Amino acid sequence: MNDTLPPLREIIRKHDLRAKKSFGQNFLLDLNLTGKIARVAGNLDDSVVYEVGPGPGGLTRALLANGASRVVAVEMDERCLPALEEITNAFDNRLEIISGNALDINEPEAMKLNAQVTARIASNLPYNVGTLLFIKWLTLETWKPWYSSLTLMFQKEVAERIVAKPNTKAYGRLSVLAQWRGNVRIAMHVPAAAFTPPPKVDSAIIHYEPTEPIDPDVKLSDLELVVEKAFGQRRKMLRASLKSLPVDALKLLAMADIKETARAETLSVADFVKLAKTYRQLL
């Protein structure tokens, strides 16, 4: 870690950076912990890393110290910008700060990406937009995507939903979207006590790497629709939960060779892909 930077607690005191609920903020101040998270992201040498919600910059400092050629950080809280500027100065201007809402950012454009650049996303995501951003990155039409990996902090319950397998309570829409064209795992757990202020729940780091889709001919919009309908009424049999689709639900299930009495949580990711492909054939 760069010796010219003071401890994060001093930075927070200096800039009066009390975490705000309205920004979904919980700061990580342990630089050993942020270093571990940065290492989960992989070999950062020559990588450009995109970070959302850096706050006072604990993870930012770790990403730069672990070899990232550049970090592009999007921060909505203007109070944090002077603290982040100190990191920019300490790390030879390898940190670029964007003041704005990450939901509105065109990341490849903001990061000035080209074919020679390896891009990664690594963030202690603000709790209030974390799932929305993850879905945004999972549902890009162009695949493989512009990033090579996602290393993201979520509430433990959300992380468990992302990696969940069929026939479990946690298995659902997020599980299918994350797993149909990517490998994902929980890389480490982070207790609530590690944060300032401590949230009411523990957190976890997931690491996601995009892969080829299970079936490249499946349309993303079809998969999203079928999954949404199936899990929208997860306690019902599929013959009922898929009834609102603009095709005959019984015919759809029969053609996809899926029992009409099955429930959404019993289907594999490959089953949902097959349902989505069959749905397109029936339109």
Side-chain angles (χ1 to χ4, degrees), residues 238-240 242-245 247-254 260:
L238 289 170
R239 66 187 180 195
L242 298 179
K243 228 174 186 178
S244 59
L245 289 172
V247 298
D248 185 293
L250 294 179
K251 187 175 182 182
L252 169 62
L253 291 163
E260 62 184 59

Side-chain angles (χ1 to χ4, degrees), residues 3-280:
D3 291 337
T4 66
L5 288 168
L8 283 168
R9 291 190 185 278
E10 286 186 27
I11 295 284
I12 285 174
R13 279 196 296 271
K14 177 181 176 182
H15 298 284
D16 195 24
L17 296 180
R18 285 165 295 195
K20 285 189 175 181
K21 280 188 178 180
S22 59
F23 289 116
Q25 290 173 329
N26 297 92
F27 298 147
L28 278 177
L29 305 185
D30 183 343
L31 294 179
N32 289 323
L33 180 56
T34 58
K36 287 180 182 177
I37 297 170
R39 289 190 288 276
V40 168
N43 183 358
L44 300 183
D45 291 352
D46 300 324
S47 293
V48 178
V49 182
Y50 182 71
E51 183 186 9
V52 174
L59 180 57
T60 315
R61 287 163 68 165
L63 293 168
L64 290 163
N66 278 273
S69 62
R70 281 191 299 133
V71 173
V72 178
V74 178
E75 179 54 67
M76 202 171 179
D77 185 356
E78 293 185 357
R79 299 175 307 147
C80 295
L81 301 184
L84 294 171
E85 287 290 352
E86 291 186 25
I87 299 174
T88 298
N89 295 334
F91 281 93
D92 302 321
N93 296 312
R94 286 159 51 209
L95 171 63
E96 298 172 23
I97 307 158
I98 298 172
S99 177
N101 186 337
L103 290 169
D104 300 328
I105 299 290
N106 179 323
E107 297 94 348
E109 190 176 284
M111 297 171 74
K112 306 177 183 68
L113 296 182
N114 57 55
Q116 283 70 49
V117 173
T118 299
R120 303 179 186 275
I121 303 177
S123 295
N124 169 18
L125 291 174
Y127 281 169
N128 55 356
V129 294
T131 303
L132 286 174
L133 283 168
F134 187 50
I135 290 173
K136 174 188 177 184
W137 296 325
L138 289 179
T139 55
L140 300 173
E141 286 289 348
T142 301
W143 208 260
K144 287 188 173 182
W146 54 267
Y147 57 82
S148 64
S149 67
L150 307 174
T151 304
L152 305 172
M153 176 93 73
F154 288 101
Q155 294 179 17
K156 182 182 174 185
E157 179 186 341
V158 176
E160 289 173 345
R161 282 163 48 202
I162 290 167
V163 303
K165 299 303 179 186
N167 295 301
T168 63
K169 287 184 179 179
Y171 184 66
R173 175 172 172 251
L174 264 185
S175 322
V176 176
L177 290 180
Q179 296 172 38
W180 80 287
R181 54 182 185 181
N183 293 324
V184 64
R185 62 185 173 89
I186 291 180
M188 58 185 288
H189 291 89
V190 183
F195 295 90
T196 301
K200 294 178 180 178
V201 295
D202 290 341
S203 297
I205 301 288
I206 66 106
H207 185 73
Y208 173 91
E209 293 182 357
T211 62
E212 291 298 323
I214 289 174
D215 185 333
D217 296 328
V218 169
K219 289 178 68 71
L220 169 63
S221 57
D222 294 340
L223 181 65
E224 287 187 285
L225 178 62
V226 167
V227 170
E228 178 191 344
K229 297 296 184 185
F231 283 108
Q233 303 178 73
R234 65 183 296 147
R235 291 186 179 182
K236 291 191 174 182
M237 296 177 185
L238 289 170
R239 66 187 180 195
S241 60
L242 298 179
K243 228 174 186 178
S244 59
L245 289 172
V247 298
D248 185 293
L250 294 179
K251 187 175 182 182
L252 169 62
L253 291 163
M255 286 180 62
D257 195 26
I258 293 170
K259 290 182 179 178
E260 62 184 59
T261 55
R263 290 178 170 81
E265 66 186 36
T266 67
L267 268 58
S268 67
V269 175
D271 287 334
F272 277 110
V273 170
K274 186 162 59 171
L275 262 182
K277 192 171 183 179
T278 307
Y279 168 75
R280 174 56 48 179

